[in-house]
Amino acid sequence: MTNEEIVSLISKETGLPPDKLLPEATLATLDISSLDLVSLLFELEDQFGIEIQPEDIPRDSTLQQLIDRITAARA
């Protein structure tokens, strides 16, 4: 699982273009809702066999922090 694969999945689930998904952008500034986040986490669980609870990802998290969390859960 690469960062590009994760960004692609985030783009697909949120409808945001990949060029808007900058590492320093926060979930709040990207307007990723809690519902979008839950949907994304379910998809990550299905595709990569990881489990992350939505409440563990605050809205002020950056995209890079989310990617790091996903990568750590996979390890």
Side-chain angles (χ1 to χ4, degrees), residues 4 7 9 12 14 20 22 26 30 32-33 40 48-49 53 55 61 63 68-70 75:
E4 292 79 22
V7 169
L9 184 61
K12 178 182 160 204
T14 62
K20 296 274 189 198
L22 303 174
T26 66
L30 291 170
I32 296 176
S33 70
L40 172 64
F48 301 117
Q53 298 302 315
E55 57 271 11
S61 295
L63 190 58
D68 292 345
R69 181 69 189 249
I70 293 165

Side-chain angles (χ1 to χ4, degrees), residues 3-32:
N3 286 3
E4 292 79 22
E5 290 173 318
I6 296 169
V7 169
S8 176
L9 184 61
I10 293 170
S11 174
K12 178 182 160 204
E13 288 299 311
T14 62
L16 294 167
D19 64 330
K20 296 274 189 198
L21 299 175
L22 303 174
E24 66 276 5
T26 66
L27 301 181
T29 60
L30 291 170
D31 201 27
I32 296 176

